[in-house]
């Protein structure tokens, strides 16, 4: 059996550069016609010269094909770019791979990977890092180190995960990725990430959403506080939870963020004027 490395056209340094281009410049030419299509073509710049070193026509054909509509989560979808490069390399080596096959593979994978990427990145990773770094800032009396640590961690995690995922797509190929999807691993991962996201958001609501009732009922012998004697006794933090779920309900009804913010400002002003809110 021939050594696998000997049959490759693309050197490792070109793959590393392609991965860095994808992660760094992916949204610099974002548009509604091709979405990330231009970024896909940009990613191929370091490798196309190795695939067709003396054939400009085939280079143009490849770059045109990779510039078609594409949209995915940046880090989770980087494996698709690695896979596309691997397929284009096999095609350049003489394997019978139709152009439509490469395009269809990219199209079929971008939806599921966008879902899992958005769920884990925006629903789990970012909220957890924000919570930790905000607490670091507050504990330090307003120090900027929380923001600095968050920025460093996000950049490091993004680049490292994107690179590993990119190389996984390149080396594993379409069979391994399709097997990963068909075995239901993706659905289990999405379900677990959704549960984790709900837990994280629940913790954030308790720590960062503040809403208290200021109504007090005075009698001849005692003072009854609705907040302390009712809400806190029945279910602590029920008002922040109710406010959050109310905002979520308005978002489900297609309210814009501006309208929701104005409504919250109005509720705060009215509640403060009549001592309904403390």
């Amino acid at each position: 059996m021939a050594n696998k490395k000997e049959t490759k056209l693309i050197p490792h340094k070109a793959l590393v550069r392609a991965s860095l281009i994808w992660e760094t410049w992916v949204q610099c030419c974002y548009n509604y016609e091709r979405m990330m299509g231009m970024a896909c073509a940009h990613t191929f710049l370091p490798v196309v010269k190795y695939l067709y070193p003396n054939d400009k026509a085939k280079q143009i054909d490849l770059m045109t094909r990779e510039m078609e509509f594409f949209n995915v989560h940046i880090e989770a979808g980087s494996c698709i770019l690695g896979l596309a490069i691997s397929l284009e390399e096999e095609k350049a080596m003489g394997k019978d791979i139709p152009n439509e096959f490469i395009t269809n593979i990219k199209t079929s994978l971008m939806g599921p990977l966008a879902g899992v990427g958005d769920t884990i990145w925006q629903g789990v990773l970012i909220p957890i890092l924000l919570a930790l770094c905000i607490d670091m800032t507050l504990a330090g009396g307003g120090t900027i180190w929380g923001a600095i640590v968050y920025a460093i961690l996000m950049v490091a995690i993004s680049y490292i995960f994107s690179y590993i995922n990119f190389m996984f797509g390149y080396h594993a190929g379409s069979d391994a990725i399709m097997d990963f999807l068909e075995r239901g691993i993706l659905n289990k991962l999405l379900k677990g990430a959704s549960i984790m996201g709900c837990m994280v958001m629940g913790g954030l609501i308790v720590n960062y959403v503040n809403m208290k009732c200021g109504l007090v009922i005075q009698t001849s012998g005692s003072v009854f506080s609705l907040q302390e004697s009712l809400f806190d006794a029945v279910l602590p933090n029920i008002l922040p939870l109710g406010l959050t779920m109310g905002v979520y309900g308005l978002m489900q009804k297609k309210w814009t963020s501006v309208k929701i913010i104005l409504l919250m400002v109005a509720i705060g002003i009215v509640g403060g004027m009549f001592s309904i809110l403390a």
Side-chain angles (χ1 to χ4, degrees):
M1 182 179 293
N3 190 337
K4 187 176 180 181
K5 291 185 178 179
E6 294 178 355
T7 62
K8 293 296 182 181
L9 300 176
I10 306 172
H12 182 71
K13 63 179 181 180
L15 293 173
V16 173
R17 186 181 174 195
S19 173
L20 292 176
I21 287 176
W22 169 257
E23 180 63 31
T24 305
W25 308 110
V26 60
Q27 297 196 74
C28 286
C29 192
Y30 204 91
N31 62 80
Y32 287 107
E33 180 185 0
R34 301 180 185 274
M35 301 301 276
M36 297 177 175
M38 295 293 289
C40 289
H42 190 190
T43 303
F44 270 81
L45 279 180
V47 303
V48 67
K49 61 184 179 182
Y50 294 102
L51 299 180
Y52 304 106
N54 301 312
D55 196 331
K56 278 290 183 181
K58 288 187 177 180
Q59 290 183 15
I60 293 173
D61 178 65
L62 184 152
M63 297 297 282
T64 302
R65 178 168 58 254
E66 296 301 333
M67 199 164 52
E68 296 177 0
F69 180 91
F70 187 72
N71 189 34
V72 74
H73 184 268
I74 299 171
E75 288 75 27
S78 63
C79 65
I80 303 178
L81 274 297
L83 171 60
I85 290 176
S86 177
L87 293 174
E88 292 286 2
E89 185 178 40
E90 293 180 9
K91 181 180 177 66
M93 293 166 58
K95 191 171 182 179
D96 185 18
I97 300 178
N99 296 344
E100 295 77 11
F101 176 76
I102 300 176
T103 301
N104 291 339
I105 282 290
K106 290 170 59 181
T107 304
S108 62
L109 290 177
M110 68 182 185
L113 291 176
V116 69
D118 290 338
T119 300
I120 295 177
W121 223 256
Q122 301 176 20
V124 179
L125 177 63
I126 292 178
I128 290 177
L129 287 181
L130 282 175
L132 293 175
C133 293
I134 289 174
D135 284 342
M136 182 186 300
T137 299
L138 295 177
T143 176
I144 65 171
W145 279 108
I148 295 175
V149 170
Y150 174 80
I152 294 174
L153 286 177
M154 279 304 302
V155 171
I157 293 172
S158 297
Y159 273 90
I160 292 173
F161 182 80
S162 181
Y163 173 78
I164 293 174
N165 205 24
F166 184 94
M167 292 301 176
F168 167 75
Y170 175 77
H171 292 292
S174 58
D175 293 339
I177 297 177
M178 293 305 296
D179 180 64
F180 175 82
L181 297 176
E182 291 172 356
R183 286 166 57 186
I185 298 176
L186 180 63
N187 292 331
K188 295 178 181 178
L189 191 60
L190 280 173
K191 185 176 181 180
S194 299
I195 295 173
M196 176 67 75
C198 290
M199 295 173 62
V200 171
M201 294 308 297
L204 291 177
I205 291 170
V206 172
N207 287 306
Y208 299 109
V209 180
N210 187 17
M211 185 178 185
K212 294 184 178 181
C213 179
L215 292 177
V216 175
I217 301 175
Q218 295 183 350
T219 62
S220 57
S222 63
V223 177
F224 182 83
S225 171
L226 288 179
Q227 179 65 47
E228 297 177 0
S229 302
L230 179 60
F231 295 129
D232 290 345
V234 174
L235 182 62
N237 296 301
I238 187 173
L239 291 183
L241 175 62
L243 175 63
T244 305
M245 296 307 297
V247 171
Y248 177 76
L250 293 176
M251 293 175 63
Q252 294 296 104
K253 293 182 178 180
K254 308 301 181 182
W255 276 49
T256 65
S257 58
V258 175
K259 290 182 179 180
I260 294 175
I261 292 173
L262 292 176
L263 177 61
M264 293 176 65
V265 170
I267 292 175
I269 293 174
V270 174
M273 289 177 59
F274 294 96
S275 299
I276 299 174
L277 298 176

